[in-house]
Amino acid sequence: MPKLSRTSRRTWIAAWAVLCAAGTAATVALNASPAPDPQPEKPVSAECAEYIADIESQLAEAKAQGSDDDGVLAFTRTRAGTDDCSDEVLDHFSGDR
């Protein structure tokens, strides 16, 4: 392994210090920037709102029965001609993850 000279070591240390300073400055700038405006809530159809309320009541009932064991609850809807509420359900419950 070749031995580094003093000037080569100094160059590497200076480059490392510059990169650290740039990273710190970037972190400070990102932390100081304001958060993006929250997206306005999309209107939810009455049928989807009812479906979400039904899911919430089933979750509350399961929690009240003591089945809070980090299991998986699945909800299905098989009626033909109903709205697809999957996006609305995901949007509503995404804060619980």
Side-chain angles (χ1 to χ4, degrees):
M1 182 173 196
K3 212 170 193 186
L4 294 175
S5 67
R6 275 193 186 277
T7 57
S8 180
R9 285 185 195 153
R10 288 180 184 163
T11 303
W12 279 107
I13 290 172
W16 179 80
V18 167
L19 288 174
C20 286
T24 302
T27 301
V28 167
L30 286 173
N31 287 338
S33 65
D37 293 333
Q39 296 290 332
E41 287 191 30
K42 299 175 189 172
V44 178
S45 70
E47 184 177 356
C48 290
E50 180 181 329
Y51 184 54
I52 290 170
D54 184 43
I55 292 172
E56 286 181 339
S57 68
Q58 289 180 36
L59 286 171
E61 182 180 326
K63 193 174 249 185
Q65 292 176 355
S67 61
D68 189 25
D69 57 357
D70 293 334
V72 176
L73 291 175
F75 301 94
T76 60
R77 172 175 276 189
T78 56
R79 292 189 333 221
T82 60
D83 287 345
D84 179 22
C85 299
S86 59
D87 290 338
E88 288 84 354
V89 170
L90 287 174
D91 288 343
H92 182 79
F93 290 104
S94 65
D96 294 341
R97 291 184 186 183

